[in-house]
């Protein structure tokens, strides 16, 4: 048994397909299949159920793959520890972001990170929050930028910033002439929301519960940009996070953005990593750079 074979098993567990797993591991499919069989022979158990169109792990295969993933992750941690001891600011970092934050934060975050860590290679992964958490636990990510709360003892969350929401309405909407409204004024509105699985959907539902607003149940968007276009077409209203309204995002001529006159709905954003990570001290520095973003990013544009 060797580390290479364990990596093959982990790839097969992730991809559930010999061809795709072989591609991930940069080997031929026969090579990967042969090594998996040798691993099964060594352990004396069947790890994989082989069907014509799909691959499933046996119950013991699932357990062995979980152990293999931890072993591979520990080895990567040892390598990372060695690299960081030689040059803490060189090497690479696998960083996850969720879709309603990543495209809007990165244009502001990348330049100061590049300036502070010129030799650092950023490997960015955009996925929904639950996928990022799974990859973080498994060691497939070094850190992730997530919305709080993250209630897991094995993870460390370093607070970065609090991002307000604005109400987006069409220029034809009765509220379009307003600059501000109270949270309770949302009680007469039905909000367009994202589909299940997006953490921003849960954040928006929290606002609905606080204000008494309802959901526009006939429509659920797959992205923030879809929501923006639906609002501009006067299909409904929605909440947009502040960063999604800042340049380089182009303003929509048919969209009006309203701030809240009382309690602003917000989301709290943190950099999250495993407490056991060899990169702990370095990630604290990364968090410091992100925490120092200009305060104007989290305030409405002057009218």
């Amino acid at each position: 048994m060797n580390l290479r074979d364990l990596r093959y098993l982990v790839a097969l567990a992730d991809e559930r397909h010999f061809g795709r797993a072989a591609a991930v591991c940069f080997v031929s499919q026969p090579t990967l299949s042969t090594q998996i069989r040798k691993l099964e022979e060594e352990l004396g158990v069947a790890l994989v159920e082989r069907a014509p169109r799909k691959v499933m792990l046996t119950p013991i295969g699932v357990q062995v793959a979980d152990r293999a993933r931890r072993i591979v992750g520990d080895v990567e941690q040892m390598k990372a520890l060695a690299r960081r001891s030689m040059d803490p600011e060189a090497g690479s970092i696998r960083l996850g972001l969720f879709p309603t934050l990543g495209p809007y934060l990165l244009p502001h975050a990348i330049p100061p990170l590049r300036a502070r860590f010129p030799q650092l290679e950023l490997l960015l992964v955009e996925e929904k929050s639950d996928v990022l958490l799974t990859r973080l636990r498994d060691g497939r990510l070094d850190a992730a930028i997530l919305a709080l709360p993250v209630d897991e003892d094995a993870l460390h969350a370093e607070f970065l910033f609090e991002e307000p929401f604005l109400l987006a309405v069409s220029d034809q909407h009765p509220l379009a002439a307003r600059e501000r409204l109270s949270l309770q004024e949302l009680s007469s509105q039905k909000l367009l929301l994202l589909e299940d699985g997006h953490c921003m959907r849960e954040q928006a539902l929290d606002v609905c519960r606080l204000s008494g607003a309802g959901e526009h149940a006939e429509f659920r968007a797959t992205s923030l940009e879809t929501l923006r276009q639906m609002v501009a077409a006067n299909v409904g209203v929605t909440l947009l996070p502040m960063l999604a309204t800042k340049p380089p995002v182009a303003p929509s001529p048919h969209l009006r953005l309203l701030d809240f006159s009382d309690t602003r709905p917000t989301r709290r954003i943190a950099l999250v990593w495993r407490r056991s990570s060899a990169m702990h001290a370095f990630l604290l520095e990364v968090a410091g750079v992100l925490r120092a973003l200009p305060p104007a990013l989290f305030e409405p544009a002057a009218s």
Side-chain angles (χ1 to χ4, degrees):
M1 188 186 304
N2 58 51
L3 191 62
R4 175 199 61 196
D5 295 341
L6 297 183
R7 286 197 173 99
Y8 290 171
L9 179 61
V10 169
L12 189 59
D14 289 341
E15 301 296 332
R16 303 300 174 99
H17 187 278
F18 277 100
R20 290 196 297 269
V24 167
C25 296
F26 302 103
V27 297
S28 68
Q29 182 173 332
T31 295
L32 184 135
S33 182
T34 298
Q35 293 306 123
I36 294 293
R37 285 194 182 278
K38 286 182 178 179
L39 186 58
E40 290 178 314
E41 290 169 6
E42 181 173 350
L43 293 173
V45 294
L47 301 175
V48 181
E49 288 184 33
R50 295 164 174 85
R53 295 183 180 275
K54 63 180 178 179
V55 172
M56 294 186 295
L57 297 186
T58 63
I60 187 62
V62 171
Q63 295 181 53
V64 172
D66 286 343
R67 296 261 181 168
R69 194 186 302 282
R70 289 198 290 271
I71 292 168
V72 170
D74 285 343
V75 170
E76 293 301 322
Q77 285 289 301
M78 284 190 284
K79 291 180 180 179
L81 183 60
R83 288 195 301 268
R84 296 294 166 192
S85 68
M86 293 184 289
D87 186 354
E89 297 176 7
S92 61
I93 176 175
R94 298 166 298 173
L95 180 65
L97 304 99
F98 57 94
T100 61
L101 177 68
Y104 313 107
L105 174 63
L106 289 176
H108 308 287
I110 295 295
L113 285 172
R114 290 277 186 231
R116 176 62 184 83
F117 307 110
Q119 298 181 64
L120 182 67
E121 181 185 24
L122 278 171
L123 304 174
L124 301 172
V125 175
E126 185 179 89
E127 283 286 0
K128 292 178 181 179
S129 296
D130 57 345
V131 176
L132 295 179
L133 281 168
T134 297
R135 294 187 181 185
L136 197 53
R137 295 186 207 103
D138 291 345
R140 287 179 283 169
L141 289 176
D142 298 310
I145 299 178
L146 296 167
L148 294 173
V150 177
D151 298 320
E152 294 197 30
D153 291 341
L155 298 178
H156 174 84
E158 192 73 16
F159 173 74
L160 299 178
F161 54 81
E162 190 161 3
E163 183 184 19
F165 288 101
L166 299 174
L167 183 70
V169 304
S170 162
D171 59 0
Q172 303 300 311
H173 194 276
L175 291 172
R178 301 275 297 276
E179 290 187 4
R180 293 174 178 270
L181 77 164
S182 70
L183 194 61
Q184 296 308 312
E185 287 181 89
L186 285 183
S187 62
S188 61
Q189 303 295 324
K190 287 191 174 182
L191 272 61
L192 297 170
L193 300 181
L194 292 170
E195 64 182 2
D196 290 336
H198 289 275
C199 64
M200 193 181 137
R201 172 177 172 79
E202 300 307 315
Q203 295 153 5
L205 285 172
D206 286 342
V207 174
C208 289
R209 285 188 282 269
L210 282 173
S211 64
E215 177 185 0
H216 201 300
E218 293 78 19
F219 176 83
R220 289 185 183 178
T222 57
S223 73
L224 213 54
E225 294 313 304
T226 302
L227 281 182
R228 195 192 306 268
Q229 295 305 318
M230 296 302 288
V231 171
N234 202 23
V235 174
V237 305
T238 196
L239 293 169
L240 289 180
M242 188 72 73
L243 286 173
T245 71
K246 297 289 184 175
V249 178
S252 170
H254 300 295
L255 207 66
R256 298 291 179 267
L257 299 171
L258 283 64
D259 196 7
F260 290 89
S261 58
D262 46 6
T263 304
R264 272 181 176 171
T266 64
R267 62 181 180 185
R268 292 167 54 80
I269 304 298
L271 184 64
V272 181
W273 62 89
R274 294 178 302 282
R275 292 188 184 276
S276 60
S277 174
M279 302 171 70
H280 181 85
F282 173 71
L283 290 169
L284 284 174
E285 292 191 51
V286 172
V289 173
L290 297 174
R291 196 182 293 117
L293 291 173
L297 288 176
F298 309 104
E299 291 294 334
S303 56

